[in-house]
Amino acid sequence: MSERPDLLHDDPAGRDATSPRPTTIDRRRAEHRDPARLSSTTDQRLLDSRGPADWVHSDAWRIQRIQAEFVEGFSVLAEIPRAVTVFGSARTSPGHPDYERGVALGGALARAGYAVITGGGPGVMEAANRGASEAGGLSVGLGIELPFEQGLNPWVDLGVGFRYFFARKTMFVKYAQAFVCLPGGFGTLDELFEALVLVQTGKVTRFPVVLLGTEYWGGLVEWLAGPAVDAGTISKGDVELIHLTDDIDEVVTIVEEGFREVVGS
């Protein structure tokens, strides 16, 4: 599939594509951008063991907030159609080849009948959400409270905000039939390896994990297949859990085959 050279076009419904759809649910967006909260995050305060002993009492009450995040995530996402989670760098600018590839991927997945789930931020996440939204599919964003968070990108149709990374990660896995990773940094690597561990250990139903971009990801896969396997820290079968490609049509085929395998099992 060729990548789309022109990302701006007239919407079939008569809406200018430069004016993205408003989000239908954009929870806690104001909280993400509250200047009073920028010095720390909820995760940081939960995990910080420093300070007075009153944490023994306050942390117990945080359980209710954590429970509320799971309940909200489950209730909002329970009825979305089959979906694919797309990860990638928040630092990628519009017009960059990876951004355009993200738009093309989001569109291809939407046309194949999949909702597209991202972290809801800018960069590659925005691109995948944009492609899905422009193609008429469901564009989902799962935002996270960060000191530098910008809120959900404007191409998210259905958004949920989270304070805790672990609650958000559960939603990425629970409601996806596959993971696709475009070039990204620590956050993308974190999600990639967490997904691989869950599949490797049988904690989740086996589903495809695809790396889109051989030039970027090839060295990582070579290291896993070479030094890591040679050291005995992983097996050759573990490396085979990863699909590496530059072809968006192949991504969709891998996702479809994985979905049929699960449904038929």
Side-chain angles (χ1 to χ4, degrees):
M1 175 181 291
S2 61
E3 297 180 358
R4 294 163 53 186
D6 182 9
L7 301 181
L8 303 179
H9 61 276
D10 291 333
D11 186 90
R15 182 185 61 219
D16 183 355
T18 60
S19 302
R21 301 180 185 180
T23 56
T24 54
I25 300 179
D26 189 353
R27 301 185 189 278
R28 307 195 191 103
R29 191 169 193 173
E31 283 188 47
H32 285 180
R33 304 186 68 180
D34 182 357
R37 303 179 65 87
L38 295 183
S39 61
S40 67
T41 66
T42 308
D43 263 329
Q44 180 184 349
R45 293 189 293 274
L46 171 66
L47 298 173
D48 194 346
S49 61
R50 297 169 298 177
D54 60 1
W55 68 268
V56 174
H57 308 288
S58 62
D59 277 10
W61 287 102
R62 287 189 174 122
I63 295 173
Q64 294 188 10
R65 176 179 287 180
I66 293 167
Q67 179 181 4
E69 290 213 345
F70 280 102
V71 170
E72 180 180 32
F74 292 154
S75 64
V76 171
L77 301 173
E79 296 184 359
I80 68 171
R82 60 183 185 170
V84 174
T85 297
V86 177
F87 297 113
S89 177
R91 303 182 183 187
T92 303
S93 301
H96 188 281
D98 289 338
Y99 186 97
E100 296 188 8
R101 182 177 290 179
V103 174
L105 173 65
L109 291 170
R111 287 187 291 273
Y114 291 89
V116 172
I117 303 173
T118 78
V124 169
M125 294 176 283
E126 175 187 300
N129 284 137
R130 179 174 184 169
S133 184
E134 288 183 334
L138 179 61
S139 172
V140 181
L142 308 183
I144 186 68
E145 176 193 67
L146 293 173
F148 46 84
E149 179 62 52
Q150 298 296 311
L152 296 178
N153 72 68
W155 295 94
V156 170
D157 298 314
L158 180 65
V160 185
F162 291 88
R163 295 182 178 93
Y164 298 101
F165 268 111
F166 53 84
R168 179 181 183 236
K169 286 180 176 180
T170 299
M171 305 305 153
F172 280 138
V173 175
K174 180 174 177 60
Y175 295 102
Q177 274 68 54
F179 280 5
V180 182
C181 295
L182 280 81
F186 285 162
T188 302
L189 291 168
D190 175 47
E191 300 293 357
L192 166 62
F193 282 105
E194 179 151 355
L196 290 172
V197 169
L198 291 173
V199 177
Q200 177 200 47
T201 57
K203 291 294 186 180
V204 295
T205 303
R206 186 182 181 105
F207 62 90
V209 178
V210 185
L211 302 182
L212 182 58
T214 57
E215 183 176 355
Y216 186 86
W217 294 113
L220 174 63
V221 175
E222 288 178 6
W223 177 82
L224 291 171
V229 170
D230 293 343
T233 52
I234 63 173
S235 68
K236 290 183 179 180
D238 295 332
V239 180
E240 292 172 359
L241 297 175
I242 302 171
H243 302 271
L244 178 64
T245 184
D246 287 315
D247 189 335
I248 290 175
D249 282 340
E250 185 179 356
V251 174
V252 175
T253 298
I254 292 169
V255 170
E256 292 274 53
E257 290 176 350
F259 179 74
R260 287 195 294 268
E261 180 180 339
V262 172
V263 171
S265 60

